[in-house]
Amino acid sequence: MLSIDQLNAASAAEFVQLLAGTYEHSPWVAERAASDRPFASLAGLKLALAKAVREAGRDQQLALIRAHPELAVKAAQTLTAESSAEQSRAGLTHCTPAELAQIQRLNADYAAKFGWPFILAVRGPRGQGLSRAEIIGNFARRLHGHADYELAECLRNIHRIAELRLNDKFGFTPSLGNQVWDWAEALAEHSEAAELTVTYLSDAHRACAAQLRDWMTQDCGFDEVGIDTVGNVVGIYRSERPNARRLLTGSHYDTVRRAGKYDGRLGVLVAMLCVRELHKAGRRLPFDLEVIAFAEEEGQRYKATFLGSSALTGEFNPAWLGEVDADGISMADAMRHAGLPATLVSITALKRDPAHYLGFVELHIEQGPLLTELDLPLGVVTSINGSVRYLGEVSGMAAHAGTTPMDRRRDAACAVAELILYVEQRAGTHKDQVVGTVGMLEVPAGSINVIPGRCRFSLDLRASTDAARDALDADVRAALAVICQRRGLQWRLTPTMKADAAPSNAAWQARWEAAVTAVGLPVHRLPSGAGHDAMMLHRLLPQAMLFVRGGNGGISHNPLEQVSNDDAELAVRAFQQLLESFAKENHEPV
């Protein structure tokens, strides 16, 4: 088997020969990466190879893509031994006549649209191979993509193909990443719908809680495991020191509707696996480790977000108990149905005493494209953006679409459309990281031949600092007032959530950075545009986050959300490094 020491010691020509077949018919990739030696790890080698491709010109990138064969190609002489084995493993050499015809048609349509062959890492994110149905589904979906996105996605899949080939050359199996991946798959079996949906205290939600509790108890070796009075799953791995302070970690296990499998859950599963590995080795930390799977963060069933972590900070809103879902079931009734007491006394008792804690760390999928565009598996969070949300409504006059002149209309939908364009312009030109989104838009009782008399909408405004968020908020509200006054309309904005920005604690951020360095990767710092449980715990404890790259262009809150087993492996290794280095700070080896 190949080793990093062997590669580092090789001549440039030997280096290229040792990596032959990693990038299809493209030895220039290894030739350019050779100058980046020495590599500290296999992850560092993979990153250097990806960097060589990223820094090449478009013509050379296209040549790399075109060096790959079409899927299910019959001309065997065009396939390298590696490609032949991968396509065979995916069953592409055993397609039915109908499947073969469909793939050939997709090949032709894709080449006609983009001018290069469709590239897919057919061994998949787990490395065990995609089914033919999954391959065809990916092909059909990506055929409708934009050329720039599709070029980047082809290159990302080429890097994944190379990563798996390198694993084979080095005899490396990401066993910890496989375990995280398998747990995520098993947890996703519990859903309210065909596409993953797990909302607060539904049957699927309670099944997830029970599954996490059982894994913590039976597989991982936690000393204390339970489900608290808001549905959080809590596991404690005790220190050998009596009355030791605790490091708190975790994330949420509820989901949005039509969700991915890793949002929130990745941070829970990685932390659980770290405890399992400590327990298997018979090792203890000089501090307690408390892992929490927060019951609710997404605000899908009730108008309450960060419910689980709010209980820990003492900020659970009593009014939430009276909120009702779409079926008229109150939160309090849902709690009682789940066997929870639904009393403020029991919920208030969940507040943590900061004197007993060392901090809060959270690992999370990035939910964005930045890491994947840089070919980086991990990134260190500098701050969580502050945000404000509204539900809005503009009221005008419904009238006949054919008989009302354009200059006499009081069109509510046009006003909201103008506001949407203003939000896009205002957020897009600001020097700070500022974003604005209208994600919900509705014309009540709308009709094709009626001018909209009402238009309902949502408004989500975020920025990396509270000052930038508040300035954006003020400008958008002022713009809405001006638009409606000019058009003769009434408007209303109802605040639904406001969260302050949460800068990472410098010491804990530095520990994450050291952990990333220890696994052989460069440190990349970035803010979080999404809200996380860490922004609630920030009010109580020093906190910092680590992001993990997402696949499929970084998409999240979507069934296409993806994490590879190799990236999950690096996430676990980085978390282990964090725990070990912090243990050394406490003057006792792990």
Side-chain angles (χ1 to χ4, degrees):
M1 291 296 177
L2 193 58
S3 71
I4 286 294
D5 289 341
Q6 186 180 358
L7 279 176
N8 284 338
S11 68
E14 290 170 337
F15 178 85
V16 173
Q17 183 56 41
L18 288 168
L19 294 179
T22 303
Y23 282 85
E24 199 88 349
H25 300 298
S26 302
W28 64 266
V29 179
E31 289 170 359
R32 295 190 182 183
S35 61
D36 286 342
R37 290 180 291 172
F39 302 117
S41 65
L42 177 56
L45 169 64
K46 293 173 181 177
L47 188 64
L49 293 166
K51 173 174 168 263
V53 175
R54 189 173 65 254
E55 294 180 351
R58 181 183 174 92
D59 287 346
Q60 202 153 22
Q61 291 173 346
L62 284 171
L64 173 61
I65 293 172
R66 289 173 179 143
H68 288 72
E70 292 183 336
L71 292 183
V73 66
K74 287 296 186 183
Q77 65 271 19
T78 68
L79 292 176
T80 61
E82 292 84 3
S83 286
S84 180
E86 288 156 359
Q87 294 210 21
S88 177
R89 186 183 299 184
L92 290 173
T93 54
H94 298 86
C95 290
T96 66
E99 289 171 335
L100 184 59
Q102 186 177 8
I103 291 174
Q104 289 175 338
R105 185 170 60 252
L106 288 167
N107 275 328
D109 291 345
Y110 187 94
K113 178 175 180 179
F114 297 112
W116 59 76
F118 174 74
I119 309 295
L120 180 68
V122 294
R123 288 172 66 179
R126 173 65 160 75
Q128 59 192 4
L130 300 174
S131 68
R132 292 197 296 273
E134 288 173 319
I135 291 168
I136 292 170
N138 272 281
F139 207 153
R141 171 180 61 83
R142 283 174 50 191
L143 180 60
H144 301 289
H146 186 277
D148 289 343
Y149 174 86
E150 194 55 29
L151 177 69
E153 193 65 8
C154 284
L155 293 173
R156 285 190 283 266
N157 275 274
I158 286 172
H159 293 319
R160 176 59 178 163
I161 293 167
E163 176 166 61
L164 291 165
R165 292 177 180 180
L166 285 169
N167 289 351
D168 293 342
K169 285 179 179 290
F170 279 77
F172 171 68
T173 300
S175 55
L176 297 176
N178 287 342
Q179 181 62 76
V180 170
W181 206 91
D182 292 344
W183 273 343
E185 289 292 308
L187 201 60
E189 292 178 6
H190 306 295
S191 177
E192 300 164 39
E195 293 182 301
L196 182 59
T197 301
V198 179
T199 62
Y200 185 56
L201 295 182
S202 64
D203 290 345
H205 185 272
R206 297 198 305 278
C208 285
Q211 180 67 83
L212 290 168
R213 179 194 59 202
D214 291 348
W215 282 336
M216 286 183 178
T217 303
Q218 299 167 14
D219 295 7
C220 298
F222 282 84
D223 299 299
E224 299 175 30
V225 179
I227 298 175
D228 70 20
T229 55
V230 295
N232 296 328
V233 185
V234 184
I236 299 172
Y237 190 66
R238 291 282 185 188
S239 167
E240 289 182 343
R241 295 179 179 179
N243 304 314
R245 295 172 73 194
R246 290 183 186 174
L247 176 62
L248 184 64
T249 187
S251 196
H252 62 98
Y253 67 93
D254 69 319
T255 76
V256 298
R257 292 176 172 84
R258 297 187 68 252
K261 300 171 184 175
Y262 301 96
D263 176 14
R265 296 168 175 211
L266 180 64
V268 178
L269 300 177
V270 166
M272 284 170 46
L273 190 53
C274 288
V275 170
R276 192 195 77 173
E277 294 303 292
L278 286 167
H279 179 68
K280 282 172 60 177
R283 301 167 79 187
R284 294 282 170 172
L285 300 166
F287 48 85
D288 290 352
L289 183 60
E290 182 175 354
V291 179
I292 298 193
F294 292 111
E296 197 285 332
E297 187 251 24
E298 299 288 5
Q300 295 290 299
R301 184 176 181 184
Y302 297 101
K303 293 179 181 178
T305 54
F306 304 109
L307 183 156
S309 49
S310 292
L312 270 65
T313 62
E315 297 175 77
F316 183 95
N317 186 346
W320 288 343
L321 292 173
E323 290 283 349
V324 296
D325 66 9
D327 296 319
I329 300 171
S330 72
M331 184 185 292
D333 285 343
M335 285 180 164
R336 284 188 282 266
H337 178 70
L340 305 177
T343 64
L344 283 178
V345 172
S346 65
I347 296 170
T348 302
L350 299 179
K351 182 179 179 181
R352 300 305 196 258
D353 182 351
H356 296 159
Y357 286 83
L358 297 159
F360 176 76
V361 291
E362 182 174 3
L363 183 145
H364 204 282
I365 188 172
E366 182 201 352
Q367 299 184 282
L370 300 181
L371 291 177
T372 193
E373 287 175 356
L374 294 170
D375 303 309
L376 289 172
L378 304 176
V380 179
V381 178
T382 57
S383 178
I384 304 170
N385 285 4
S387 62
V388 60
R389 293 179 185 172
Y390 296 98
L391 291 177
E393 182 170 340
V394 172
S395 302
M397 178 68 70
H400 197 290
T403 61
T404 308
M406 297 301 292
D407 62 352
R408 292 174 176 80
R409 298 184 176 209
R410 294 168 61 197
D411 188 326
C414 281
V416 177
E418 189 175 345
L419 178 70
I420 293 171
L421 292 175
Y422 174 81
V423 171
E424 180 183 52
Q425 178 272 327
R426 168 63 175 78
T429 57
H430 202 275
K431 64 178 181 180
D432 292 317
Q433 186 182 18
V434 170
V435 293
T437 305
V438 175
M440 297 164 57
L441 198 60
E442 177 195 7
V443 175
S447 178
I448 195 169
N449 60 351
V450 177
I451 298 166
R454 287 192 298 155
C455 187
R456 296 173 182 157
F457 61 98
S458 63
L459 190 58
D460 183 308
L461 306 174
R462 309 186 189 208
S464 55
T465 66
D466 294 337
R469 174 206 60 196
D470 293 343
L472 175 65
D473 182 20
D475 288 350
V476 169
R477 286 187 287 108
L480 178 59
V482 170
I483 291 166
C484 289
Q485 183 177 26
R486 172 166 37 82
R487 290 177 173 271
L489 306 170
Q490 302 297 313
W491 62 276
R492 173 166 50 89
L493 286 178
T494 302
T496 60
M497 193 269 281
K498 186 173 184 179
D500 290 342
S504 298
N505 172 265
W508 279 110
Q509 180 180 324
R511 294 182 185 109
W512 275 129
E513 292 174 1
V516 170
T517 300
V519 298
L521 294 172
V523 173
H524 179 74
R525 303 173 184 88
L526 72 167
S528 171
H532 300 289
D533 290 299
M535 70 192 304
M536 293 302 301
L537 271 302
H538 176 80
R539 304 175 184 181
L540 191 73
L541 301 170
Q543 61 78 28
M545 294 186 69
L546 182 72
F547 274 169
V548 181
R549 168 176 56 186
N552 288 322
I555 194 169
S556 186
H557 282 186
N558 186 299
L560 294 174
E561 180 181 278
Q562 188 181 94
V563 170
S564 74
N565 57 348
D566 282 270
D567 285 0
E569 176 86 14
L570 287 168
V572 176
R573 297 294 184 190
F575 205 115
Q576 290 176 319
Q577 288 289 337
L578 178 88
L579 294 176
E580 185 157 353
S581 65
F582 190 54
K584 289 176 180 176
E585 287 182 39
N586 283 263
H587 308 297
E588 186 169 314
V590 179

